PDB file of all heavy atoms in Angstrom:
ATOM      1  N   ARG A   1       0.836  -1.210  -0.011  1.00 86.00           N
ATOM      2  CA  ARG A   1       0.000  -0.001   0.008  1.00 86.00           C
ATOM      3  C   ARG A   1       0.888   1.274  -0.009  1.00 86.00           C
ATOM      4  O   ARG A   1       2.044   1.212   0.295  1.00 86.00           O
ATOM      5  CB  ARG A   1      -0.893   0.006   1.206  1.00 86.00           C
ATOM      6  CG  ARG A   1      -0.057   0.281   2.474  1.00 86.00           C
ATOM      7  CD  ARG A   1      -0.805   0.740   3.678  1.00 86.00           C
ATOM      8  NE  ARG A   1       0.132   1.028   4.708  1.00 86.00           N
ATOM      9  CZ  ARG A   1      -0.107   0.958   5.949  1.00 86.00           C
ATOM     10  NH1 ARG A   1      -1.275   0.567   6.365  1.00 86.00           N
ATOM     11  NH2 ARG A   1       0.771   1.239   6.869  1.00 86.00           N
ATOM     12  N   ARG A   2       0.236   2.289  -0.308  1.00 88.00           N
ATOM     13  CA  ARG A   2       0.819   3.641  -0.105  1.00 88.00           C
ATOM     14  C   ARG A   2      -0.330   4.575   0.176  1.00 88.00           C
ATOM     15  O   ARG A   2      -1.488   4.330  -0.149  1.00 88.00           O
ATOM     16  CB  ARG A   2       1.642   4.121  -1.315  1.00 88.00           C
ATOM     17  CG  ARG A   2       0.827   4.514  -2.514  1.00 88.00           C
ATOM     18  CD  ARG A   2       1.713   5.057  -3.616  1.00 88.00           C
ATOM     19  NE  ARG A   2       0.877   5.505  -4.710  1.00 88.00           N
ATOM     20  CZ  ARG A   2       1.292   6.095  -5.783  1.00 88.00           C
ATOM     21  NH1 ARG A   2       2.611   6.269  -5.956  1.00 88.00           N
ATOM     22  NH2 ARG A   2       0.466   6.475  -6.737  1.00 88.00           N
ATOM     23  N   ARG A   3       0.018   5.668   0.825  1.00 82.00           N
ATOM     24  CA  ARG A   3      -0.976   6.675   1.139  1.00 82.00           C
ATOM     25  C   ARG A   3      -0.709   7.891   0.279  1.00 82.00           C
ATOM     26  O   ARG A   3       0.457   8.326   0.122  1.00 82.00           O
ATOM     27  CB  ARG A   3      -0.929   7.060   2.643  1.00 82.00           C
ATOM     28  CG  ARG A   3      -1.347   5.932   3.538  1.00 82.00           C
ATOM     29  CD  ARG A   3      -1.259   6.379   4.993  1.00 82.00           C
ATOM     30  NE  ARG A   3      -1.325   5.280   5.860  1.00 82.00           N
ATOM     31  CZ  ARG A   3      -2.467   4.804   6.432  1.00 82.00           C
ATOM     32  NH1 ARG A   3      -3.588   5.384   6.121  1.00 82.00           N
ATOM     33  NH2 ARG A   3      -2.425   3.766   7.239  1.00 82.00           N
ATOM     34  N   THR A   4      -1.768   8.484  -0.234  1.00 82.00           N
ATOM     35  CA  THR A   4      -1.683   9.693  -1.017  1.00 82.00           C
ATOM     36  C   THR A   4      -2.710  10.678  -0.494  1.00 82.00           C
ATOM     37  O   THR A   4      -3.486  10.323   0.385  1.00 82.00           O
ATOM     38  CB  THR A   4      -1.928   9.431  -2.527  1.00 82.00           C
ATOM     39  OG1 THR A   4      -3.284   9.043  -2.656  1.00 82.00           O
ATOM     40  CG2 THR A   4      -0.992   8.371  -3.080  1.00 82.00           C
ATOM     41  N   ASP A   5      -2.749  11.868  -1.067  1.00 81.00           N
ATOM     42  CA  ASP A   5      -3.763  12.842  -0.678  1.00 81.00           C
ATOM     43  C   ASP A   5      -5.149  12.285  -0.945  1.00 81.00           C
ATOM     44  O   ASP A   5      -6.096  12.649  -0.322  1.00 81.00           O
ATOM     45  CB  ASP A   5      -3.587  14.150  -1.381  1.00 81.00           C
ATOM     46  CG  ASP A   5      -2.283  14.863  -0.979  1.00 81.00           C
ATOM     47  OD1 ASP A   5      -1.760  14.535   0.133  1.00 81.00           O
ATOM     48  OD2 ASP A   5      -1.823  15.712  -1.740  1.00 81.00           O
ATOM     49  N   GLY A   6      -5.249  11.374  -1.948  1.00 80.00           N
ATOM     50  CA  GLY A   6      -6.546  10.774  -2.275  1.00 80.00           C
ATOM     51  C   GLY A   6      -6.929   9.585  -1.413  1.00 80.00           C
ATOM     52  O   GLY A   6      -8.050   9.064  -1.540  1.00 80.00           O
ATOM     53  N   GLY A   7      -6.095   9.146  -0.520  1.00 87.00           N
ATOM     54  CA  GLY A   7      -6.388   8.019   0.370  1.00 87.00           C
ATOM     55  C   GLY A   7      -5.397   6.889   0.184  1.00 87.00           C
ATOM     56  O   GLY A   7      -4.279   7.086  -0.276  1.00 87.00           O
ATOM     57  N   ARG A   8      -5.843   5.696   0.593  1.00 91.00           N
ATOM     58  CA  ARG A   8      -4.997   4.522   0.529  1.00 91.00           C
ATOM     59  C   ARG A   8      -5.051   3.871  -0.843  1.00 91.00           C
ATOM     60  O   ARG A   8      -6.100   3.786  -1.488  1.00 91.00           O
ATOM     61  CB  ARG A   8      -5.351   3.490   1.572  1.00 91.00           C
ATOM     62  CG  ARG A   8      -5.137   4.023   3.005  1.00 91.00           C
ATOM     63  CD  ARG A   8      -5.508   2.983   4.024  1.00 91.00           C
ATOM     64  NE  ARG A   8      -6.886   2.588   3.783  1.00 91.00           N
ATOM     65  CZ  ARG A   8      -7.431   1.485   4.300  1.00 91.00           C
ATOM     66  NH1 ARG A   8      -6.706   0.665   5.018  1.00 91.00           N
ATOM     67  NH2 ARG A   8      -8.694   1.163   4.066  1.00 91.00           N
ATOM     68  N   GLU A   9      -3.908   3.347  -1.322  1.00 94.00           N
ATOM     69  CA  GLU A   9      -3.811   2.659  -2.617  1.00 94.00           C
ATOM     70  C   GLU A   9      -3.119   1.355  -2.461  1.00 94.00           C
ATOM     71  O   GLU A   9      -2.293   1.189  -1.599  1.00 94.00           O
ATOM     72  CB  GLU A   9      -3.061   3.555  -3.619  1.00 94.00           C
ATOM     73  CG  GLU A   9      -3.743   4.885  -3.902  1.00 94.00           C
ATOM     74  CD  GLU A   9      -2.937   5.738  -4.830  1.00 94.00           C
ATOM     75  OE1 GLU A   9      -1.673   5.708  -4.767  1.00 94.00           O
ATOM     76  OE2 GLU A   9      -3.538   6.433  -5.655  1.00 94.00           O
ATOM     77  N   LEU A  10      -3.397   0.401  -3.400  1.00 95.00           N
ATOM     78  CA  LEU A  10      -2.823  -0.915  -3.392  1.00 95.00           C
ATOM     79  C   LEU A  10      -2.065  -1.097  -4.687  1.00 95.00           C
ATOM     80  O   LEU A  10      -2.531  -0.703  -5.775  1.00 95.00           O
ATOM     81  CB  LEU A  10      -3.919  -1.995  -3.310  1.00 95.00           C
ATOM     82  CG  LEU A  10      -3.499  -3.419  -3.284  1.00 95.00           C
ATOM     83  CD1 LEU A  10      -2.809  -3.740  -1.963  1.00 95.00           C
ATOM     84  CD2 LEU A  10      -4.660  -4.341  -3.561  1.00 95.00           C
ATOM     85  N   LEU A  11      -0.877  -1.711  -4.554  1.00 96.00           N
ATOM     86  CA  LEU A  11      -0.064  -2.000  -5.802  1.00 96.00           C
ATOM     87  C   LEU A  11      -0.617  -3.306  -6.410  1.00 96.00           C
ATOM     88  O   LEU A  11      -0.710  -4.295  -5.723  1.00 96.00           O
ATOM     89  CB  LEU A  11       1.414  -2.215  -5.397  1.00 96.00           C
ATOM     90  CG  LEU A  11       2.302  -2.706  -6.525  1.00 96.00           C
ATOM     91  CD1 LEU A  11       2.369  -1.675  -7.651  1.00 96.00           C
ATOM     92  CD2 LEU A  11       3.695  -3.044  -5.999  1.00 96.00           C
ATOM     93  N   VAL A  12      -0.934  -3.222  -7.660  1.00 97.00           N
ATOM     94  CA  VAL A  12      -1.387  -4.379  -8.434  1.00 97.00           C
ATOM     95  C   VAL A  12      -0.615  -4.419  -9.756  1.00 97.00           C
ATOM     96  O   VAL A  12       0.048  -3.456 -10.120  1.00 97.00           O
ATOM     97  CB  VAL A  12      -2.900  -4.362  -8.732  1.00 97.00           C
ATOM     98  CG1 VAL A  12      -3.707  -4.338  -7.419  1.00 97.00           C
ATOM     99  CG2 VAL A  12      -3.296  -3.184  -9.592  1.00 97.00           C
ATOM    100  N   PHE A  13      -0.701  -5.594 -10.462  1.00 97.00           N
ATOM    101  CA  PHE A  13      -0.074  -5.668 -11.743  1.00 97.00           C
ATOM    102  C   PHE A  13      -0.875  -6.612 -12.615  1.00 97.00           C
ATOM    103  O   PHE A  13      -1.624  -7.463 -12.131  1.00 97.00           O
ATOM    104  CB  PHE A  13       1.408  -6.066 -11.694  1.00 97.00           C
ATOM    105  CG  PHE A  13       1.650  -7.460 -11.229  1.00 97.00           C
ATOM    106  CD1 PHE A  13       1.543  -8.560 -12.120  1.00 97.00           C
ATOM    107  CD2 PHE A  13       1.986  -7.745  -9.943  1.00 97.00           C
ATOM    108  CE1 PHE A  13       1.814  -9.837 -11.729  1.00 97.00           C
ATOM    109  CE2 PHE A  13       2.273  -9.019  -9.510  1.00 97.00           C
ATOM    110  CZ  PHE A  13       2.153 -10.088 -10.428  1.00 97.00           C
ATOM    111  N   ASP A  14      -0.697  -6.423 -13.926  1.00 97.00           N
ATOM    112  CA  ASP A  14      -1.244  -7.320 -14.937  1.00 97.00           C
ATOM    113  C   ASP A  14      -0.087  -7.905 -15.756  1.00 97.00           C
ATOM    114  O   ASP A  14       0.862  -7.200 -16.024  1.00 97.00           O
ATOM    115  CB  ASP A  14      -2.192  -6.555 -15.870  1.00 97.00           C
ATOM    116  CG  ASP A  14      -3.421  -6.032 -15.109  1.00 97.00           C
ATOM    117  OD1 ASP A  14      -4.174  -6.878 -14.630  1.00 97.00           O
ATOM    118  OD2 ASP A  14      -3.560  -4.825 -15.013  1.00 97.00           O
ATOM    119  N   HIS A  15      -0.254  -9.153 -16.150  1.00 94.00           N
ATOM    120  CA  HIS A  15       0.752  -9.798 -17.056  1.00 94.00           C
ATOM    121  C   HIS A  15       0.539  -9.225 -18.430  1.00 94.00           C
ATOM    122  O   HIS A  15      -0.534  -9.390 -19.021  1.00 94.00           O
ATOM    123  CB  HIS A  15       0.532 -11.310 -17.090  1.00 94.00           C
ATOM    124  CG  HIS A  15       0.909 -12.024 -15.879  1.00 94.00           C
ATOM    125  ND1 HIS A  15       2.167 -12.645 -15.734  1.00 94.00           N
ATOM    126  CD2 HIS A  15       0.270 -12.218 -14.711  1.00 94.00           C
ATOM    127  CE1 HIS A  15       2.204 -13.206 -14.534  1.00 94.00           C
ATOM    128  NE2 HIS A  15       1.075 -12.977 -13.885  1.00 94.00           N
ATOM    129  N   LEU A  16       1.497  -8.485 -18.937  1.00 95.00           N
ATOM    130  CA  LEU A  16       1.379  -7.966 -20.291  1.00 95.00           C
ATOM    131  C   LEU A  16       1.497  -9.097 -21.269  1.00 95.00           C
ATOM    132  O   LEU A  16       2.392  -9.930 -21.177  1.00 95.00           O
ATOM    133  CB  LEU A  16       2.473  -6.890 -20.550  1.00 95.00           C
ATOM    134  CG  LEU A  16       2.448  -5.699 -19.576  1.00 95.00           C
ATOM    135  CD1 LEU A  16       3.574  -4.736 -19.871  1.00 95.00           C
ATOM    136  CD2 LEU A  16       1.115  -4.977 -19.673  1.00 95.00           C
ATOM    137  N   GLY A  17       0.585  -9.238 -22.170  1.00 88.00           N
ATOM    138  CA  GLY A  17       0.568 -10.350 -23.085  1.00 88.00           C
ATOM    139  C   GLY A  17      -0.190 -11.577 -22.600  1.00 88.00           C
ATOM    140  O   GLY A  17      -0.314 -12.556 -23.327  1.00 88.00           O
ATOM    141  N   ALA A  18      -0.725 -11.529 -21.371  1.00 90.00           N
ATOM    142  CA  ALA A  18      -1.507 -12.648 -20.828  1.00 90.00           C
ATOM    143  C   ALA A  18      -2.672 -12.105 -20.048  1.00 90.00           C
ATOM    144  O   ALA A  18      -2.756 -12.248 -18.845  1.00 90.00           O
ATOM    145  CB  ALA A  18      -0.632 -13.539 -19.934  1.00 90.00           C
ATOM    146  N   PRO A  19      -3.639 -11.414 -20.729  1.00 86.00           N
ATOM    147  CA  PRO A  19      -4.734 -10.778 -20.023  1.00 86.00           C
ATOM    148  C   PRO A  19      -5.585 -11.744 -19.213  1.00 86.00           C
ATOM    149  O   PRO A  19      -6.238 -11.379 -18.244  1.00 86.00           O
ATOM    150  CB  PRO A  19      -5.541 -10.113 -21.130  1.00 86.00           C
ATOM    151  CG  PRO A  19      -5.112 -10.815 -22.379  1.00 86.00           C
ATOM    152  CD  PRO A  19      -3.733 -11.293 -22.174  1.00 86.00           C
ATOM    153  N   GLY A  20      -5.584 -13.018 -19.561  1.00 91.00           N
ATOM    154  CA  GLY A  20      -6.402 -13.998 -18.820  1.00 91.00           C
ATOM    155  C   GLY A  20      -5.884 -14.286 -17.413  1.00 91.00           C
ATOM    156  O   GLY A  20      -6.566 -14.899 -16.629  1.00 91.00           O
ATOM    157  N   ALA A  21      -4.662 -13.858 -17.125  1.00 92.00           N
ATOM    158  CA  ALA A  21      -4.096 -14.085 -15.804  1.00 92.00           C
ATOM    159  C   ALA A  21      -4.762 -13.238 -14.746  1.00 92.00           C
ATOM    160  O   ALA A  21      -4.667 -13.568 -13.551  1.00 92.00           O
ATOM    161  CB  ALA A  21      -2.553 -13.832 -15.823  1.00 92.00           C
ATOM    162  N   GLY A  22      -5.391 -12.138 -15.134  1.00 94.00           N
ATOM    163  CA  GLY A  22      -6.112 -11.304 -14.172  1.00 94.00           C
ATOM    164  C   GLY A  22      -5.189 -10.384 -13.434  1.00 94.00           C
ATOM    165  O   GLY A  22      -3.939 -10.515 -13.452  1.00 94.00           O
ATOM    166  N   THR A  23      -5.759  -9.444 -12.744  1.00 97.00           N
ATOM    167  CA  THR A  23      -4.993  -8.488 -11.969  1.00 97.00           C
ATOM    168  C   THR A  23      -4.615  -9.095 -10.644  1.00 97.00           C
ATOM    169  O   THR A  23      -5.415  -9.776 -10.013  1.00 97.00           O
ATOM    170  CB  THR A  23      -5.864  -7.215 -11.723  1.00 97.00           C
ATOM    171  OG1 THR A  23      -6.225  -6.614 -12.972  1.00 97.00           O
ATOM    172  CG2 THR A  23      -5.121  -6.170 -10.900  1.00 97.00           C
ATOM    173  N   GLN A  24      -3.330  -8.907 -10.288  1.00 96.00           N
ATOM    174  CA  GLN A  24      -2.769  -9.610  -9.130  1.00 96.00           C
ATOM    175  C   GLN A  24      -1.940  -8.640  -8.249  1.00 96.00           C
ATOM    176  O   GLN A  24      -1.643  -7.518  -8.694  1.00 96.00           O
ATOM    177  CB  GLN A  24      -1.855 -10.731  -9.581  1.00 96.00           C
ATOM    178  CG  GLN A  24      -2.485 -11.735 -10.447  1.00 96.00           C
ATOM    179  CD  GLN A  24      -1.514 -12.757 -10.954  1.00 96.00           C
ATOM    180  OE1 GLN A  24      -0.627 -13.212 -10.240  1.00 96.00           O
ATOM    181  NE2 GLN A  24      -1.645 -13.143 -12.217  1.00 96.00           N
TER     182      GLN A  24
END
């Protein structure tokens, strides 16, 4: 996580070239 002026955020990623893997 990180905190910004907009609130709390979570780090996620997507496999480029493998969209079926989903956001993780």
Side-chain angles (χ1 to χ4, degrees):
R1 70 161 185 209
R2 73 175 184 177
R3 294 180 193 268
T4 66
D5 292 340
R8 295 180 305 160
E9 298 177 323
L10 180 71
L11 173 65
V12 299
F13 69 82
D14 296 295
H15 289 262
L16 301 177
T23 300
Q24 303 175 41

